[in-house]
Amino acid sequence: MIVKSHRPLLVTRHSCIVPTALDSLSFAAVLCVKRLMKPIANLIHVEDLKLGLDWYQKAFPGAIVRTIDDFTFLEVNGFALELVLADERVGSGKSGSVTYWLVESLEYEMDRFKSIGSIIYRGPMEIEANQWMCQVTDPFGNLIGLRGPF
């Protein structure tokens, strides 16, 4: 991104361009350079860490178990599934964001998730471009989104 100005500019450590003289309100806006943001982890609150880890290994059979400083998590294609104990501040269940996973066959994955105890919570429903979506549950009531062709 190229910014032309007759005023001197300061580039901050956060890749933002800030005018050094803020005497004009018309130029007082801070322009930030676009930065790549990529999701790297999903924190999943469960009541039982061992049961959660065992179940998520079945749900994501290609996951790699990783342990760093006594913290065990699952890595799925460079994305971390981090299981932590639910508590009074953040419980488990259907009360927030849902991460959607791209699948090759929604019908196959729905059957596979049901075979390990999931309930189809929402869907399946057609969305766009011959894609379908649904939400399934884990044993703790959390939701997992699945998206792909039926």
Side-chain angles (χ1 to χ4, degrees):
M1 175 181 190
I2 299 173
V3 177
K4 294 183 180 180
S5 171
H6 63 279
R7 297 175 190 241
L9 298 175
L10 170 69
V11 177
T12 69
R13 65 186 179 100
H14 300 291
S15 297
C16 291
I17 301 171
V18 182
T20 55
L22 294 176
D23 58 342
S24 169
L25 290 178
S26 64
F27 195 73
V30 175
L31 303 174
C32 289
V33 177
K34 288 184 180 178
R35 296 188 64 130
L36 173 67
M37 290 181 64
K38 175 184 170 188
I40 59 168
N42 189 12
L43 202 61
I44 302 168
H45 293 82
V46 299
E47 284 87 23
D48 182 315
L49 288 176
K50 180 171 179 6
L51 178 64
L53 187 61
D54 290 345
W55 190 87
Y56 273 87
Q57 284 181 281
K58 292 174 190 167
F60 296 90
I64 300 167
V65 179
R66 303 256 189 231
T67 301
I68 299 175
D69 298 329
D70 296 326
F71 181 69
T72 301
F73 62 96
L74 298 175
E75 183 183 323
V76 181
N77 297 324
F79 185 81
L81 294 175
E82 300 177 350
L83 282 70
V84 297
L85 283 176
D87 60 22
E88 65 280 350
R89 294 186 71 180
V90 181
S92 63
K94 305 166 195 67
S95 60
S97 300
V98 178
T99 301
Y100 279 83
W101 295 85
L102 181 63
V103 298
E104 291 182 18
S105 167
L106 187 66
E107 183 177 26
Y108 172 83
E109 291 299 332
M110 287 171 52
D111 289 341
R112 193 177 67 76
F113 270 86
K114 285 193 286 188
S115 77
I116 60 171
S118 287
I119 295 168
I120 306 301
Y121 178 75
R122 180 167 288 155
M125 64 182 76
E126 189 170 12
I127 46 177
E128 74 272 337
N130 294 321
Q131 295 290 300
W132 289 70
M133 59 150 295
C134 75
Q135 294 174 354
V136 298
T137 61
D138 74 3
F140 310 100
N142 297 306
L143 295 174
I144 300 166
L146 304 174
R147 182 180 284 193
F150 200 82

